[in-house]
Amino acid sequence: SEDTSSIRNSGRLMRLATSRNSATAPGSDAQGSKRSGPLEALRGEVEAALGAACRRPMYHARRFNLIGDFEGIRSPWRRHAVPLSFTPDLDAALAGIAWAAFEAGLPRSSHLVELSAAVTLPGASAQNVHSDISPAIANIPPSGGGGGGAACSGLPPLVTAWLAVQPVLDASMGPTTVFPGTHRRLVERAVRIEEERVQDSVLLAGLCDPTDPEHVSVEATLFKATRAKEKRKALEADVERELRDFGPASAACDLLLGCGDVALMDCRLIHFGSAYPGSRSSRLPFAFLRCAADEVPRILINATFASEGVGSDEIRGFTYHRTAKFDLTLGDLLDKDASRPLSAWPPPWRSAELANGLPSTSSSGGLS
């Protein structure tokens, strides 16, 4: 967590970048064991938003990937991604996140494309290893306006900032586990896999009977078997090349954060949410929210920024932000007038989406 390499390092986001205490309000101690007032209030808002979301069937349909407009949450049992509206406490948290991102080198023109709370309840199992977007997606050429750091050949297309609103200091809290350097190491492999996916879909379409899509021909079966052997050989070649070009792969690393710490992650980085052990009651059916008295939900605020030149709908594979209607840049968050908080702006969710089960902003400005 002490590696603070700049995002502007030839376009290569830090292996693991943590801006210590950049969003911590007064009152939290050095170890993050005492939750501060603003973060405690923000935690309460998130828990209320989660309760409201869980009462909406459409929220669960999206979470479990039962409808086509949402890619779902990996290992969704006891895991939630709750969209957030602006409140005064979230304003303060976003200000800390914005400065951490800017100081790391993200340009002011970066757009906020995701604002949610990642909530993991005790009893959640580990996710499969994945990246939020493909490592094959290239860096974005910078056009100025960035934060600190030297000139570089590009910027990461999507960067997620994680703000911990309670300590996540050991493996018992189910931290995110990252594989440092994989957003660079796996580029050529990811390009090959994407090309294979496109080629296979075209070739298989020619081997299938359009009048009977359920029927699998002998030719299609033989093609899949042959391709499986070819893919195994290609994977072996990938591993050899990666070892030659990058050396042995780095060991997995838990993203450990104190209360109020911010971590910045290139969305191409390979990672997964680790298991969060819970009590027997947390494994009961329909235990969406129930926790034992001594169990604490793990809550991270997720603010994801798209680098300049990247629209929120142009990157294939990112899970959560597809229904967001933000019109905010990093510069807006850095320059916002303290007398006009973001909570006074129109909420980011449109009425059509509210009907689909997303949290709304109440008349008092809080989350309903």
Side-chain angles (χ1 to χ4, degrees):
S1 63
E2 298 304 320
D3 182 354
T4 56
S5 306
S6 172
I7 291 177
R8 284 183 172 272
N9 177 17
S10 299
R12 302 166 182 171
L13 187 61
M14 66 292 286
R15 294 190 301 274
L16 175 64
T18 304
S19 301
R20 307 296 289 183
N21 301 321
S22 61
T24 304
S28 61
D29 62 21
Q31 298 300 319
S33 59
K34 179 182 178 181
R35 290 188 295 189
S36 63
L39 289 180
E40 178 72 13
L42 180 56
R43 181 184 178 85
E45 292 173 358
V46 171
E47 291 173 350
L50 176 59
C54 284
R55 291 191 291 271
R56 298 183 172 100
M58 189 61 73
Y59 169 77
H60 297 290
R62 284 177 164 166
R63 187 164 68 95
F64 284 93
N65 198 22
L66 300 179
I67 56 179
D69 67 336
F70 194 69
E71 294 191 14
I73 298 173
R74 294 174 178 86
S75 302
W77 180 248
R78 309 282 287 176
R79 292 184 185 274
H80 298 265
V82 185
L84 298 178
S85 296
F86 297 115
T87 68
D89 292 312
L90 187 57
D91 287 1
L94 275 174
I97 289 172
W99 279 108
F102 181 69
E103 290 174 358
L106 206 63
R108 294 171 59 88
S109 56
S110 301
H111 274 79
L112 180 68
V113 295
E114 161 71 1
L115 182 60
S116 64
V119 182
T120 305
L121 304 177
S125 60
Q127 295 178 318
N128 293 330
V129 174
H130 66 277
S131 63
D132 291 335
I133 62 175
S134 172
I137 298 175
N139 287 341
I140 305 302
S143 60
C152 67
S153 59
L155 295 163
L158 280 179
V159 174
T160 290
W162 299 106
L163 166 64
V165 299
Q166 81 287 298
V168 184
L169 299 178
D170 56 57
S172 67
M173 285 291 290
T176 299
T177 301
V178 300
F179 293 83
T182 47
H183 59 304
R184 300 189 303 271
R185 185 183 186 92
L186 301 181
V187 169
E188 291 189 37
R189 185 192 300 197
V191 170
R192 175 187 62 78
I193 291 173
E194 179 63 19
E195 290 175 348
E196 284 180 349
R197 184 189 67 81
V198 173
Q199 292 171 359
D200 288 357
S201 62
V202 172
L203 293 173
L204 281 173
L207 296 174
C208 294
D209 183 356
T211 63
D212 186 9
E214 298 297 325
H215 175 69
V216 179
S217 65
V218 174
E219 292 83 359
T221 301
L222 292 174
F223 171 79
K224 291 179 180 179
T226 302
R227 289 293 279 167
K229 294 179 181 178
E230 294 173 350
K231 291 177 181 179
R232 283 195 295 270
K233 292 182 179 179
L235 179 59
E236 293 172 358
D238 288 334
V239 173
E240 292 179 0
R241 184 190 63 256
E242 291 157 6
L243 183 61
R244 180 178 65 251
D245 294 347
F246 296 95
S250 300
C253 179
D254 289 338
L255 193 61
L256 303 181
L257 302 169
C259 184
D261 282 356
V262 174
L264 303 175
M265 185 187 77
D266 189 317
C267 290
R268 298 171 295 186
L269 194 71
I270 304 297
H271 64 283
F272 68 95
S274 60
Y276 188 0
S279 65
R280 182 181 298 274
S281 64
S282 65
R283 297 191 293 272
L284 294 175
F286 307 109
F288 296 120
L289 300 171
R290 188 181 305 133
C291 292
D294 59 343
E295 294 179 336
V296 179
R298 193 215 67 181
I299 299 175
L300 299 177
I301 302 300
N302 168 5
T304 298
F305 296 90
S307 298
E308 48 197 334
V310 179
S312 62
D313 296 321
E314 294 177 7
I315 298 179
R316 180 177 177 271
F318 190 63
T319 306
Y320 307 125
H321 74 258
R322 294 183 182 275
T323 57
K325 301 294 183 185
F326 299 106
D327 189 20
L328 288 172
T329 66
L330 184 62
D332 293 331
L333 298 177
L334 295 171
D335 300 337
K336 77 177 184 68
D337 185 352
S339 65
R340 188 172 183 267
L342 295 175
S343 51
W345 293 24
W349 312 109
R350 298 298 186 259
S351 58
E353 284 144 4
L354 296 179
N356 289 331
L358 298 180
S360 62
T361 303
S362 68
S363 58
S364 63
L367 287 171
S368 62

